[in-house]
Amino acid sequence: MDMSAGERKGLSLFALIMIGIGSIFGSGWLFGAGSAAQVAGPAALVAWVIGVIFIGMIAMSYAEVGSAYPIPGGMARYGHFSHGPVLGFLTGWAVWIATASLIPIESIAATQYMTSWSFDWAKGLVDPATHQLTLSGTAVALVLTLALWLTCFWSVQLLARANTVLTLVKFAIPVLAVLALVGSGFHPSNFTAHGGFAPYGWPAVLTAVTTCGVVFAFNGFQAVVNLGGAAKNPGRAIPVALIGALALGLVIYSALQAAYLGSVPPELLERAGGWQGVNFNSPFADLAGLLMLHWVVTMLQFGAFISPAGSNIANVASAAYMVTNLAETGFFPRKLAAVHPRYGTARPAMWLNLGFSVVLLLTIGRSWQALAGVVSAAMVISYLIGPIAVGVLRRTRPDLPRPFRLPAAGVLCPVTFAFAACALYWSKWPETGKITVLTLVAAPVAALVLWRQGERRLLRQFAPAWWMIAFLVWTATVSALGGEEFGGRGILPGVLGTAVIAVTAPLFYFWAVRSGVKAHARGLTSAPSPTEATPTPSTTTDDARPMASV
């Protein structure tokens, strides 16, 4: 990741759109349709529409902040700009977790699709009873993670140049798969049989948005924001690339979902007792095999490597940018931001991300579906600061040049925040509790770092961040007490839990904006001027190690 000014300012609008599309078409299309159908039935189609609306609202708020501060990996810094160091670290920590988690999940996806191979050893990579990786499957996923990481470690520039070609291939494979599945026999009756269009109720559709890869799939928009600082005209390129990538993603994902739903043999659906009983290790490849579309199986097996590998080009780069940004703020060791003088890669940051990936693989990463739910919840938390940063900076930096301005921000920002809060609730308990704990671990770390830096007024530093801590605890509590369809105890049944979150979320939003305004008045924030935010050539440390200039 050459982070010099000359390299950062070379991306064309087309290249940025290709980066967005390449990130959106990762492993999500390989598993998302199958997982969403299993949870929501044919109503999974609605989940993709809800998902792209939600992500589109989030993306547009980040487009305003990102075009004003075109810093690669800037999503890890916007909380620092709006509220100061403590909230900056909490949100930056959440963004880093969400981004770095994408690296191992792509390898898990490729490993699960290997089970469609004809080799006996490939059949043993996933336990047929639990649909989780076996010991050998985990080993293969680790090897794939390490192989891709090493490729980026030595020559990310080469992979970046190949990104456009990989994206075009990744785009062609799902399109051909849709055409082949529909042409083999489409069964409209599947959309109404076994309980109707929404056999498991509309709460299941909302759950599918966050736990079945919908948010996970569209999360590729982050690559546009995080790498958009490298565009020739970030103010125009970032919003246009976001709209283009998300629109095309919705078209393809909706087509994939419809093709999957209509192509499942009715007799299989009957034997399975409905959509919840249809559980493939490799959804599209297994389905194509049942339909005797052997050339499609081969193509999908090839795509199962191309799609995750292509997406991980942006994932590895974005995750390293997150680490270097956190290192620049002082909450991660500054040595992690060192850039190799020859290869231009932030190698210490990459080592940290590799270690984190291995830990995930060995603990909760036993299947794509299991890890996707946790990762999606982490992604939702990482989205929270976008609309809030817009609200704060509109008040504290009204003269800040904004190449892109979010229309009707006074209405859209609190609505977007409320949507994100509901999406976190829909992630289901106990995932909401797990990701809350994982995020709030950063709070004592922030206190320790500030204390070691000589800061003794910790309550003053934490004042702009209390809203975030209270919001996460509140949401996790409501989630635990919520409806059983969302994993809770049923004390707040049906839509009552969602209603409680939706009504209280705007209160947290305005609390957050007010805290940010006060933080600016007290001098706790350090938002740079537009000229300071513009990337500059890399500098060196006292011991001559190159440092990433962020």
Side-chain angles (χ1 to χ4, degrees):
M1 292 152 292
D2 188 344
M3 303 173 75
S4 66
E7 293 292 333
R8 288 178 175 178
K9 288 299 180 183
L11 277 180
S12 65
L13 173 60
F14 177 76
L16 193 59
I17 293 175
M18 287 296 101
I19 288 174
I21 295 174
S23 297
I24 287 174
F25 288 106
S27 61
W29 78 268
L30 295 168
F31 292 94
S35 296
Q38 192 175 15
V39 170
L45 285 166
V46 180
W48 291 102
V49 177
I50 295 174
V52 81
I53 292 174
F54 166 51
I55 294 298
M57 294 169 67
I58 293 291
M60 288 301 103
S61 65
Y62 274 111
E64 175 171 324
V65 183
S67 62
Y69 295 110
I71 301 172
M75 288 182 68
R77 293 287 290 277
Y78 299 147
H80 193 95
F81 295 163
S82 63
H83 287 76
V86 175
L87 185 71
F89 181 54
L90 285 175
T91 56
W93 173 268
V95 173
W96 171 64
I97 289 174
T99 306
S101 299
L102 297 176
I103 299 173
I105 201 171
E106 304 294 355
S107 298
I108 294 172
T111 302
Q112 285 189 224
Y113 257 75
M114 285 184 184
T115 59
S116 62
W117 292 5
S118 57
F119 303 107
D120 291 337
W121 63 268
K123 302 293 184 184
L125 298 178
V126 175
D127 188 324
T130 63
H131 297 280
Q132 293 187 342
L133 296 181
T134 61
L135 182 61
S136 60
T138 301
V140 170
L142 282 170
V143 170
L144 291 176
T145 299
L146 181 61
L148 177 67
W149 180 87
L150 281 173
T151 305
C152 295
F153 185 79
W154 290 110
S155 184
V156 74
Q157 291 288 330
L158 177 61
L159 283 179
R161 294 189 187 103
N163 184 67
T164 298
V165 175
L166 287 175
T167 299
L168 292 175
V169 173
K170 289 163 56 179
F171 177 76
I173 291 176
V175 170
L176 290 173
V178 167
L179 295 175
L181 290 175
V182 173
S184 68
F186 194 77
H187 310 285
S189 60
N190 285 358
F191 291 83
T192 55
H194 301 283
F197 183 72
Y200 311 117
W202 292 105
V205 177
L206 302 178
T207 295
V209 172
T210 52
T211 64
C212 296
V214 177
V215 167
F216 173 85
F218 289 126
N219 183 67
F221 88 88
Q222 287 198 27
V224 175
V225 176
N226 290 325
L227 304 179
K232 295 175 182 178
N233 183 358
R236 175 177 176 272
I238 291 176
V240 172
L242 285 172
I243 293 173
L246 289 174
L248 188 57
L250 175 61
V251 171
I252 300 302
Y253 275 112
S254 297
L256 284 165
Q257 185 68 71
Y260 179 86
L261 291 167
S263 299
V264 172
E267 58 274 16
L268 172 62
L269 197 57
E270 182 70 31
R271 288 198 305 270
W275 290 103
Q276 286 185 342
V278 181
N279 191 359
F280 295 121
N281 288 329
S282 312
F284 282 106
D286 290 349
L287 181 57
L290 283 176
L291 299 175
M292 305 300 289
L293 298 173
H294 299 300
W295 69 273
V296 176
V297 174
T298 303
M299 180 184 67
L300 290 169
Q301 290 170 343
F302 175 70
F305 280 95
I306 292 296
S307 293
S311 292
N312 257 350
I313 294 174
N315 294 338
V316 171
S318 294
Y321 279 138
M322 299 305 173
V323 173
T324 56
N325 272 279
L326 290 173
E328 286 293 317
T329 61
F331 287 99
F332 275 12
R334 287 184 63 85
K335 291 182 179 181
L336 292 176
V339 177
H340 193 277
R342 178 179 177 185
Y343 296 104
T345 54
R347 288 188 168 184
M350 294 178 69
W351 277 109
L352 175 64
N353 291 331
L354 177 64
F356 182 68
S357 299
V358 171
V359 170
L360 285 180
L361 274 172
L362 297 179
T363 53
I364 62 176
R366 302 307 301 273
S367 72
W368 186 91
Q369 291 81 358
L371 190 54
V374 177
V375 172
S376 295
M379 289 173 180
V380 172
I381 291 179
S382 74
Y383 298 156
L384 296 173
I385 196 60
I388 290 173
V390 172
V392 172
L393 295 175
R394 285 281 184 98
R395 298 189 183 190
T396 59
R397 301 292 298 274
D399 299 328
L400 178 70
R402 292 172 170 83
F404 171 78
R405 291 180 66 90
L406 179 68
V411 175
L412 287 180
C413 284
V415 170
T416 300
F417 181 85
F419 206 154
C422 290
L424 182 59
Y425 174 77
W426 299 336
S427 297
K428 300 181 68 172
W429 180 268
E431 278 70 19
T432 49
K434 292 177 183 178
I435 201 62
T436 294
V437 172
L438 190 58
T439 302
L440 293 183
V441 164
V445 175
L448 178 61
V449 170
L450 289 172
W451 186 269
R452 293 187 62 182
Q453 291 176 349
E455 176 60 59
R456 295 297 181 263
R457 296 177 296 177
L458 292 181
L459 290 179
R460 179 173 180 268
Q461 292 289 345
F462 268 79
W466 287 124
W467 71 266
M468 178 71 159
I469 296 172
F471 168 78
L472 291 177
V473 172
W474 168 251
T475 304
T477 301
V478 175
S479 178
L481 301 176
E484 295 180 358
E485 64 271 32
F486 293 115
R489 297 183 178 180
I491 298 176
L492 298 173
V495 298
L496 186 57
T498 299
V500 169
I501 294 295
V503 170
T504 57
L507 302 178
F508 284 102
Y509 170 82
F510 289 112
W511 179 8
V513 171
R514 184 181 180 185
S515 297
V517 172
K518 287 184 176 180
H520 279 261
R522 295 171 181 172
L524 296 178
T525 62
S526 58
S529 66
T531 55
E532 293 171 333
T534 301
T536 57
S538 58
T539 58
T540 59
T541 60
D542 294 337
D543 58 357
R545 292 191 317 272
M547 294 290 294
S549 176
V550 291

